[in-house]
Amino acid sequence: SYELTQPPSVSVSPGQTASITCSGHKLGYKYACWYQQKPGQSPTLVIYQDTKRPSGIPERFSGSNSGTTATLTISGTQAMDEADYYCQGWDSDTVVFGGGTKLTVL
Amino acid sequence: QVQLVESGGDLVKPGGSLRLSCAASEFTFSDDYMSWIRQAPGKGLEWVAYISGGGSFKHYGDSVKGRFTISRDNAKNSLYLQMNSLRAEDTAVYFCARGGTFYFESWGQGTLVTVSS
């Protein structure tokens, strides 16, 4: 079955750039998207179709996808960005989530 | 603003059944694929099932295939998940989400299902 792999944790200082990766076989040939989930809340879509931002998502969130890796980049990271982030793709009509990355802003 | 409100979560014994509901509003429900996604306590997201707008196409995750059934009533703007032969590992918060395979643009607040004797 298809798998997406994320690092369990990423740390970043306030104002710096955070990058969270998501790896999967030929992921660059598929669409990837990203969700942010804060404690006790439901997930929020922050990037879809590799690079697009839903309305209301700050411009500091951006995405890319090439080869086997999709990347979520948060520029000028703020304390409010501390959360769990999940990538998601699909393969053979099946939806697949990455294991999630805890972003710590310290 | 899109609203998705889940209900029906409860404590149920192993082997039991439960039916979850999701009430949708503020979008044309029948136009969109809808999905159920779950999250076990302290764990990541797991896709459960999706259904096409007209209800004719359904697809399930391997862990629930043959036990869970997704359905919808477009006249009532409602999505359902019938869960049978429940196991301890089905314990999770179940989210209703707007979307099918590519991405889920809106999520409900979730409803908790606990399977325990």
Side-chain angles (χ1 to χ4, degrees):
Chain A
S1 60
Y2 194 75
E3 293 184 0
L4 294 174
T5 302
Q6 300 179 232
S9 62
V10 168
S11 297
V12 63
S13 299
Q16 299 304 301
T17 297
S19 295
I20 300 173
T21 58
C22 173
S23 299
H25 180 63
K26 294 185 177 180
L27 180 58
Y29 289 92
K30 312 173 190 291
Y31 277 135
C33 63
W34 293 89
Y35 304 91
Q36 176 194 69
Q37 186 180 33
K38 296 181 178 179
Q41 298 183 15
S42 53
T44 297
L45 181 69
V46 294
I47 293 291
Y48 68 101
Q49 291 180 358
D50 296 339
T51 61
K52 298 178 181 179
R53 272 181 296 105
S55 62
I57 300 301
E59 290 185 8
R60 63 180 181 274
F61 288 86
S62 63
S64 63
N65 187 13
S66 179
T68 62
T69 303
T71 303
L72 172 69
T73 301
I74 309 173
S75 304
T77 306
Q78 300 182 10
M80 68 172 64
D81 300 329
E82 187 164 284
D84 293 327
Y85 290 86
Y86 295 90
C87 64
Q88 180 239 308
W90 64 275
D91 181 73
S92 301
D93 290 335
T94 297
V95 176
V96 181
F97 287 97
T101 298
K102 181 174 182 58
L103 177 67
T104 301
V105 182
L106 42 67
Chain B
Q1 174 148 332
V2 170
Q3 282 213 331
L4 298 170
V5 180
E6 302 94 335
S7 60
D10 205 348
L11 171 63
V12 61
K13 289 181 168 52
S17 298
L18 204 59
R19 189 196 198 205
L20 306 182
S21 299
C22 172
S25 60
E26 304 304 326
F27 67 101
T28 306
F29 182 70
S30 59
D31 282 353
D32 289 337
Y33 273 66
M34 295 294 295
S35 301
W36 288 100
I37 296 154
R38 69 184 181 183
Q39 186 170 35
K43 302 297 185 183
L45 302 171
E46 181 188 10
W47 167 71
V48 173
Y50 63 71
I51 184 170
S52 60
S56 58
F57 183 71
K58 307 173 185 181
H59 200 62
Y60 299 90
D62 287 343
S63 62
V64 306
K65 206 171 293 184
R67 299 187 299 123
F68 289 12
T69 302
I70 189 171
S71 63
R72 63 194 297 161
D73 184 337
N74 286 343
K76 295 182 178 180
N77 284 353
S78 293
L79 177 72
Y80 306 103
L81 186 68
Q82 177 66 44
M83 304 186 293
N84 298 331
S85 303
L86 283 160
R87 308 166 179 166
E89 54 265 36
D90 295 319
T91 294
V93 173
Y94 285 73
F95 297 102
C96 161
R98 180 185 182 189
T101 53
F102 293 119
Y103 58 90
F104 304 104
E105 59 184 283
S106 304
W107 297 60
Q109 85 290 346
T111 187
L112 177 62
V113 173
T114 303
V115 184
S116 175
S117 54

